[in-house]
Amino acid sequence: MLRFILRRMLQMIPTLLAVVLIIFVIFSVVPGSFITSLMSEGRNVMNADVLAHLNEQFGLDKPLPVRLWDYLWGLAHFDLGISYRTRSPVWDVIEPRLWPSVKLALAAMGFAAVVGIPLGFLAALKPGSVFDTGTMMMAVSGLSLPEFWFGLLLMYVFALHLGLLPSFGYQAGSIKYIILPAVALGVSPMALLARTTRAGVLDVMNADFVRTARAKGLSEPRLVRTHVTRNVLVLVLTTLGLQVGSLMGQAIVIEKLFSWPGIGSLLVDSVSTRDIPVVQGTVIVIVLWFLVINMLVDVAYAAIDPRIKVT
Amino acid sequence: MLTRLGLIAALALGTATAALAQDATPKDGGKLIFTAPYGNSITSLDITATPHTQDEIVAKAINRSLYKWNPISGKPELDLAESVEKSADGKTYTYKLREATFHNGDKLDADDVIWSYNRLADPKKALPGAEQMLQIAGVAEFQAGKADHISGLKKIDDRTVQITFINLAEPGWNLMSNYAPIYSKDYPEDQLASKPNGLGPFKLANYVPGSKVELVKFDDFYEKGKPHLDKLDIMLMGEASARDVAFRNGEIDASVLGPEQYEAYIQDPALKDHILEVAEVYTRNIGFNPKIKAFQDKRVRQAINYAIDKDLIIKKLAKNKAYPAVSWLPISSPAFDKDAKPYAYDPEKAKELLKEAGFETGLKFSVTATPNESWGVPIVEAIIPMLAKVGVEVTTDPVDGSVLSDKILSDNFDAYIWSNSSGPDPLKYLTCFYSKTPQNACNYVKFSNADFDNLIDEAGNATDPAKQNEFLRQANDLLQEEAPVWFFNYNKAVMAYQPWVHGLKPNGAEMAIQDYEDIWIDDSAPASRK
């Protein structure tokens, strides 16, 4: 197991390097720079000498290969560089945004799992029923709902009309602030989980070993509990892992809408101001999160299904 | 038109008066939840390190400068100085500083002023606020490395500082800037971005990057009896629809409105009585690049001004949240010519001018534009058919904000649409069209006109404010005649506020920047504000 984890961690290095290179290349070819972004408001006139000094200070006057080498050298020493915008270490910019992002991703996934898996399960147990049809219609709607629109709808209903929850904001340690953004972010994975679970359960229910167990006189609840659930879990876990992994990156719109201080909104701000070190640092964190979650899912497979061995 | 402009001015002033009239007896205590609407984050709590308005909204609560902007009189006035004496030649000012205390307990003295200005101007620090220091004598030598300090700054005694300037322009315009605050010389510089230490009415209590800044009353603020509020929360809310819900739900106390919201709020009986409006000092325009041959001809530039029905665009797209632009200087500017009329919508005249200039047909150009709803792609799309009617073919070159400035500064455009500062200092912002002002400073259209330069020179050398104003008025009129840009509109800034909030001011320099020390809330405020 330890060897497996170590191997997977080593495999992350080329992935991260590729990501860093891609971002470097993209931002070196797209027009606009941090320096010009300082004047993007069209309001404050900036002194040309100040702009030149800033260019020099951040090494933006150096050739691209030199900048890339400097960055990779720093990265090898766990140094993500200095933010152009805040002039502080990149990690200091990212770190306060990390926990709110993780919290939001986990809360959204918690909502998706708690609602989506049982719904998919129950729908599959009564295929073709009104409940099944209703659930699947809901799932399709959930997958196609624009997050921004759904988030606004939640705000209008639960904050403005019912007055049950705050419409925006963040308070460490307070649950009420996370409910609406988590539901808005979790509705799409919830729908996906419901559909995946339903498909998985239907598949297992028609398998030979289930028919055999049923013929042997196993009660339906026991059949579902011992044979169906366990076999569906691998599929559900795979979906869950992929969704949790990608939620942090997907949260950009929701974070903006609810003024949630996560790294998604940090990424957007950094892209628009061409704060490349922060863009790179943020993307590295998002990619790492995705890779680690999926590694943990692989480890969990072994615990769920004894036929799967991680080596 | 004169009547209409009069009405506009009266409207701006009227709403201001209405908002202030209710503020008779301020009450102390409570909390205000304010919003910073230009994004979901701020760059730094050290305002000297950033050029962004979003940061300024927070900085105004924490810091103080030598001068401050008075949004009611429309002029800079002394803030950290209690008096000033001007030398006979009009270039040296001697300031007597107030007794004021920094948040960490340090007392303000002349060395703090000198240290702060030296720091701002220091080229190695590359601070955006350096722009505000250029008028001080000796800054050029200091920045060129020929001096180790600014010679124009002199300490007379602990509470008296003398500043010599290179010209006769009123120094308050630059030194009132929120980007040029006075810091304590004894406070560690590396802590300014995380634990700011200012002279302002509020001090930092908690900062959640990407969400909010929580501030508490500074008991030793130099103005006795102020601030009135105990707490001030500034929410970083870039999303207009989220602000709308939060405002209607009573979660925030003030919100800057966009065109769509403005239209809805003024029709809503529950909201329409608590709206503050002012003509801001931003001029929306389409700048013409003279490297396009046709734009070198004044008649072509004028023709475009005649060919576009800006009143219609303001009505339909800006939802009347703008005032038609006459020339560059905004309505609130002291040098604004109240007798001047905007270019009328006259397609026939436009056709005539284009014919005279030899561009009856065949003129094509692209307008570089951001997605901004008030001065971006939607506006360009509205003018395309209007210009097509006079034989001009326009296309859109859509970009994001950073690329727009990049393209303009690198002279890589035919025309652009932008919203630019045009005040409050008329001399400073007309100087943007001075021939020697480089394109990458603010002469984006590389305007060059000897008569205009002379007027700016005369204004810069005038000791009598009335005479200076007259030169600037003439320069502004000349600019209108030369039409280096399509004069679109001046922004009408609109802020909605809750009925329990008092003391907000119609700040034409930027509505979202308020004198927080004057704001108070009354007994009708909900329990969460008490």
Side-chain angles (χ1 to χ4, degrees):
Chain A
M1 176 76 77
L2 198 64
R3 270 184 61 191
F4 168 78
I5 294 173
L6 270 173
R7 204 179 65 237
R8 288 291 291 269
M9 287 176 78
L10 285 173
Q11 284 170 355
M12 289 179 194
I13 295 173
T15 311
L16 288 172
L17 270 177
V19 166
V20 167
L21 278 172
I22 289 168
I23 296 171
F24 230 97
V25 171
I26 288 175
F27 279 94
S28 62
V29 294
V30 295
S33 70
F34 168 70
I35 301 298
T36 54
S37 82
L38 290 172
M39 291 175 74
S40 60
E41 286 179 11
R43 292 184 166 192
N44 299 307
V45 176
M46 293 274 294
N47 185 280
D49 288 340
V50 169
L51 297 179
H53 276 290
L54 274 177
N55 225 14
E56 191 186 326
Q57 222 173 57
F58 294 129
L60 294 170
D61 53 345
K62 292 180 186 169
L64 187 69
V66 176
R67 276 191 281 150
L68 179 60
W69 172 252
D70 287 350
Y71 185 73
L72 291 175
W73 183 252
L75 208 56
H77 295 82
F78 300 101
D79 178 6
L80 291 170
I82 299 289
S83 161
Y84 299 158
R85 221 157 64 99
T86 66
R87 306 189 186 196
S88 51
V90 169
W91 180 246
D92 291 356
V93 178
I94 294 176
E95 192 262 338
R97 305 291 195 101
L98 205 51
W99 178 229
S101 266
V102 171
K103 262 201 301 195
L104 182 59
L106 293 179
M109 215 53 230
F111 163 76
V114 166
V115 178
I117 297 172
L119 278 181
F121 228 104
L122 292 171
L125 293 179
K126 292 185 177 176
S129 66
V130 175
F131 180 79
D132 180 31
T133 312
T135 304
M136 285 310 105
M137 274 176 64
M138 202 179 74
V140 171
S141 309
L143 277 170
S144 50
L145 277 180
E147 281 176 356
F148 184 84
W149 179 85
F150 186 61
L152 265 181
L153 186 72
L154 290 175
M155 282 179 170
Y156 272 104
V157 174
F158 292 98
L160 192 56
H161 289 290
L162 299 176
L164 295 174
L165 293 164
S167 70
F168 79 101
Y170 175 81
Q171 199 102 271
S174 174
I175 291 175
K176 65 180 181 181
Y177 287 92
I178 202 172
I179 296 175
L180 292 186
V183 172
L185 184 62
V187 70
S188 174
M190 181 272 282
L192 190 68
L193 270 173
R195 282 190 73 87
T196 312
T197 308
R198 180 182 177 274
V201 171
L202 278 178
D203 198 36
V204 176
M205 290 291 266
N206 292 322
D208 290 346
F209 68 92
V210 171
R211 205 174 303 124
T212 308
R214 201 175 270 141
K216 281 182 174 176
L218 209 65
S219 70
E220 205 63 17
R222 195 166 167 208
L223 181 82
V224 170
R225 202 170 58 244
T226 55
H227 291 280
V228 180
T229 308
R230 221 181 159 91
N231 280 287
V232 168
L233 223 50
V234 171
L235 178 66
V236 170
L237 199 67
T238 306
T239 313
L240 209 66
L242 286 170
Q243 289 297 305
V244 178
S246 55
L247 268 185
M248 199 183 269
Q250 285 172 10
I252 291 170
V253 173
I254 294 301
E255 286 179 8
K256 282 264 178 199
L257 184 63
F258 288 93
S259 293
W260 190 265
I263 58 172
S265 58
L266 175 66
L267 180 60
V268 175
D269 291 342
S270 306
V271 168
S272 62
T273 54
R274 303 292 191 270
D275 190 352
I276 312 304
V278 176
V279 173
Q280 276 164 331
T282 312
V283 173
I284 287 173
V285 167
I286 291 171
V287 171
L288 262 177
W289 166 261
F290 187 86
L291 295 174
V292 169
I293 291 290
N294 279 283
M295 185 184 74
L296 293 177
V297 168
D298 286 348
V299 171
Y301 285 157
I304 294 165
D305 191 340
R307 291 171 299 179
I308 300 173
K309 290 207 175 356
V310 286
T311 50
Chain B
M1 179 50 65
L2 183 59
T3 317
R4 188 166 67 162
L5 287 172
L7 278 172
I8 288 168
L11 178 68
L13 207 67
T15 48
T17 313
L20 294 168
Q22 59 186 325
D23 304 336
T25 321
K27 270 183 68 82
D28 288 345
K31 176 165 93 171
L32 180 85
I33 304 182
F34 201 69
T35 46
Y38 303 119
N40 279 50
S41 64
I42 56 168
T43 302
S44 174
L45 289 164
D46 173 9
I47 188 63
T48 63
T50 152
H52 300 297
T53 310
Q54 178 82 342
D55 301 67
E56 216 182 334
I57 295 168
V58 175
K60 181 71 178 168
I62 297 171
N63 302 308
R64 276 295 175 273
S65 304
L66 197 57
Y67 286 79
K68 69 176 174 187
W69 166 245
N70 184 331
I72 306 302
S73 68
K75 287 177 185 165
E77 60 186 38
L78 291 175
D79 194 4
L80 288 176
E82 57 190 22
S83 63
V84 63
E85 279 176 26
K86 194 156 72 165
S87 64
D89 69 357
K91 288 188 178 175
T92 300
Y93 288 62
T94 305
Y95 297 92
K96 186 81 181 167
L97 300 177
R98 284 179 188 276
E99 278 188 37
T101 308
F102 288 96
H103 296 165
N104 72 340
D106 289 351
K107 300 289 179 194
L108 170 72
D109 63 29
D111 289 325
D112 293 321
V113 177
I114 293 170
W115 181 83
S116 296
Y117 288 172
N118 270 286
R119 176 178 177 270
L120 273 171
D122 188 344
K124 292 188 198 95
K125 306 217 183 267
L127 300 173
E131 181 68 24
Q132 320 303 332
M133 300 292 105
L134 300 179
Q135 196 192 342
I136 299 175
V139 165
E141 293 78 6
F142 177 58
Q143 291 191 328
K146 293 175 188 165
D148 61 359
H149 66 282
I150 301 171
S151 60
L153 298 170
K154 192 174 167 191
K155 177 182 177 180
I156 304 299
D157 61 42
D158 277 353
R159 285 189 50 210
T160 312
V161 64
Q162 196 175 71
I163 307 180
T164 305
F165 298 96
I166 55 172
N167 57 28
L168 298 171
E170 160 62 48
W173 293 112
N174 280 319
L175 301 183
M176 71 176 187
S177 168
N178 294 319
Y179 300 101
I182 304 301
Y183 285 162
S184 168
K185 63 186 180 306
D186 301 318
Y187 192 74
E189 243 184 293
D190 58 1
Q191 292 198 18
L192 288 168
S194 55
K195 294 173 189 158
N197 175 42
L199 290 156
F202 291 91
K203 56 184 184 178
L204 183 72
N206 183 34
Y207 169 41
V208 183
S211 184
K212 63 183 170 183
V213 182
E214 294 173 336
L215 302 132
V216 291
K217 176 181 183 172
F218 177 48
D219 290 323
D220 286 333
F221 181 56
Y222 71 80
E223 264 191 272
K224 295 299 164 212
K226 291 183 181 176
H228 301 297
L229 298 161
D230 288 336
K231 290 179 180 174
L232 170 66
D233 285 1
I234 300 178
M235 301 294 174
L236 312 176
M237 295 181 78
E239 190 47 59
S241 37
R243 283 201 310 278
D244 179 34
V245 175
F247 183 79
R248 289 170 186 268
N249 203 29
E251 293 173 84
I252 55 176
D253 293 324
S255 177
V256 168
L257 305 182
E260 298 290 344
Q261 291 172 341
Y262 175 56
E263 192 180 34
Y265 277 47
I266 53 173
Q267 287 168 12
D268 187 332
L271 302 170
K272 69 179 174 61
D273 293 333
H274 296 99
I275 290 175
L276 204 56
E277 298 177 5
V278 72
E280 269 187 342
V281 291
Y282 303 107
T283 303
R284 279 81 180 263
N285 66 97
I286 288 183
F288 307 123
N289 193 337
K291 80 177 182 186
I292 304 293
K293 197 177 169 229
F295 292 150
Q296 291 168 9
D297 192 319
K298 180 170 86 174
R299 290 168 296 187
V300 173
R301 303 190 302 257
Q302 287 175 332
I304 292 171
N305 272 277
Y306 281 119
I308 301 171
D309 187 350
K310 64 179 143 200
D311 288 345
L312 183 69
I313 298 174
I314 288 170
K315 188 179 171 192
K316 295 289 181 188
L317 292 181
K319 311 290 182 191
N320 287 319
K321 204 186 90 61
Y323 304 101
V326 178
S327 178
W328 191 251
L329 293 179
I331 297 167
S332 57
S333 174
F336 179 80
D337 185 349
K338 292 183 173 54
D339 296 326
K341 296 174 183 177
Y343 279 95
Y345 174 51
D346 190 345
E348 291 310 314
K349 173 110 177 160
K351 278 183 193 168
E352 265 174 46
L353 286 166
L354 285 168
K355 193 175 176 183
E356 280 174 28
F359 290 97
E360 194 175 7
T361 55
L363 176 55
K364 290 181 189 174
F365 65 93
S366 71
V367 181
T368 306
T370 67
N372 191 289
E373 60 181 340
S374 302
W375 45 269
V377 170
I379 307 300
V380 180
E381 284 172 349
I383 68 167
I384 286 172
M386 295 178 188
L387 289 174
K389 274 187 189 169
V390 298
V392 177
E393 192 183 325
V394 175
T395 53
T396 314
D397 170 26
V399 295
D400 77 3
S402 174
V403 179
L404 175 72
S405 45
D406 187 63
K407 285 195 144 196
I408 294 169
L409 299 181
S410 58
D411 200 20
N412 179 22
F413 66 95
D414 294 347
Y416 62 80
I417 183 163
W418 214 359
S419 173
N420 298 112
S421 291
S422 48
D425 177 3
L427 176 59
K428 178 175 177 175
Y429 289 98
L430 280 181
T431 303
C432 282
F433 292 93
Y434 193 76
S435 62
K436 286 179 190 161
T437 304
Q439 187 179 30
N440 66 3
C442 56
N443 191 357
Y444 308 123
V445 291
K446 295 176 283 183
F447 185 69
S448 179
N449 180 293
D451 293 339
F452 182 85
D453 285 357
N454 286 338
L455 286 166
I456 294 296
D457 286 338
E458 297 274 20
N461 293 324
T463 48
D464 177 4
K467 272 190 183 164
Q468 186 189 57
N469 233 21
E470 179 53 27
F471 288 126
L472 293 172
R473 189 191 60 73
Q474 287 177 31
N476 193 44
D477 287 350
L478 179 61
L479 209 55
Q480 185 191 14
E481 164 72 17
E482 287 293 319
V485 302
W486 169 54
F487 300 105
F488 177 25
N489 70 45
Y490 310 121
N491 181 36
K492 183 200 281 185
V494 183
M495 179 181 275
Y497 58 96
Q498 301 290 4
W500 54 81
V501 177
H502 305 264
L504 293 168
K505 292 172 190 167
N507 185 0
E510 168 56 61
M511 183 70 109
I513 297 172
Q514 287 289 327
D515 290 330
Y516 299 108
E517 66 272 24
D518 293 328
I519 301 175
W520 57 280
I521 57 171
D522 67 27
D523 292 335
S524 68
S528 60
R529 305 295 197 281
K530 290 173 182 168

